[in-house]
Amino acid sequence: MLDYELLSDEGIVRIHPESPLQARDFAALNEMVERYLSRHEKLNGLLITADDLLGWEEFSDWFDHLTFTKNHQAAITRVATISDADLPKLSPEINEYFSTSEIKHFSSNEETQAMSWFEHSTIQ
């Protein structure tokens, strides 16, 4: 399950995976993001908090994840990962092959810094 919320005033989507990701997670997230983008040019950020990399329920769910990334990368200015786990720390290097969004990793106690980083990219 993917827990998410839209901080509409900031133009930021906060995401927290609670279990291995499934296609339906991306379908629901896609619907929310598309509604926002129908009224705004871009999202200022995607904030991903994860205690660990949970992966995907099925291998095919990974393709839905890549499709979401491909379809929205131009509309998402920045992506912040917040985690103390080792693999998310590599996300900026890994994701540069899949996304044109600026990506930065923060430790679990740095959410305030991540939100500040988004504010510096705010699109009016």
Side-chain angles (χ1 to χ4, degrees), residues 2-37:
L2 188 63
D3 182 35
Y4 58 87
E5 69 175 314
L6 173 64
L7 307 174
S8 57
D9 290 343
E10 294 88 353
I12 296 170
V13 175
R14 183 183 306 218
I15 296 175
H16 180 76
E18 297 177 340
S19 63
L21 301 173
Q22 298 177 339
R24 68 176 176 235
D25 295 325
F26 293 103
L29 179 62
N30 184 65
E31 183 179 321
M32 183 192 64
V33 168
E34 287 296 323
R35 269 185 287 159
Y36 180 85
L37 291 174

Side-chain angles (χ1 to χ4, degrees), residues 50-53 82-90 105-108:
D51 300 326
D52 202 357
L53 184 65
I82 297 180
S83 178
D84 290 330
D86 288 332
L87 195 56
K89 293 176 186 174
L90 298 174
H105 175 77
F106 295 87
S107 296
S108 63

